[in-house]
Amino acid sequence: MQSYTIGQAARLLGVSPDTARRWADAGRVATHRDEAGRRLIDGRALAAFSIEVAQGAHTEDGETYTSARNAFPGIVTAVKLGDVAAQVEIQAGPHRLVSLLTREAVDELGLQVGMRATARVKSTSVHIDRA
């Protein structure tokens, strides 16, 4: 069975290595050590934990992001404005999501590079919620 380092697990979960380490220290996910002394997480345990994390995703103030399944909370990395249309890019953990929407929607949401936002994916459409 494949095992993952704390850093690899953090990237897969879309969190910092410090967060993954705190979760392991708190016993939320089991770890073991390899011959070199590195902490590893069993692949099956990480898969189950990733589902648990996704189902209980919360903001820093404890509010739930959404009950929708395909929601990707992240940070706005680019906003390209045209006269009528706009393109917004969000980095959500290891995922880069791009949404094409109206300029009016971007203006109403006040989307700017560096702010938190959530990309919601339904089929081939990506919708943006301001966090």
Side-chain angles (χ1 to χ4, degrees), residues 7 30 73 80 121 125:
K80 297 174 186 163
V121 180
S125 299

Side-chain angles (χ1 to χ4, degrees), residues 44-85:
R44 288 185 191 271
L46 182 59
F49 184 64
S50 69
I51 293 169
E52 177 187 325
V53 169
Q55 290 174 342
H58 294 283
T59 61
E60 292 172 5
D61 57 6
E63 292 182 27
T64 301
Y65 280 113
T66 183
S67 62
R69 285 188 172 174
N70 298 322
F72 295 87
I75 187 167
V76 176
T77 57
V79 177
K80 297 174 186 163
L81 299 173
D83 291 336
V84 176

Side-chain angles (χ1 to χ4, degrees), residues 4 6 11-12 14 16 22 25 27 29 31 33 47 50 71 74-75 78 81 91 101 104 106 109 121-124:
Y4 297 89
I6 294 287
R11 280 189 296 281
L12 291 169
S16 72
R22 280 193 301 274
D25 291 344
V29 63
T31 62
R33 298 211 180 250
S50 69
I75 187 167
L81 299 173
Q91 190 69 38
L101 57 165
E104 181 181 8
V106 171
L109 291 170
V121 180
K122 172 113 172 103
S123 185
T124 58

Side-chain angles (χ1 to χ4, degrees), residues 2 8 11 22 32 41 45 57 59 69-71 97 111 127-128:
Q2 168 118 19
Q8 291 169 326
R11 280 189 296 281
R22 280 193 301 274
H32 62 279
I41 301 172
T59 61
R69 285 188 172 174
N70 298 322
L97 298 114
L111 295 174
H127 304 268
I128 304 295

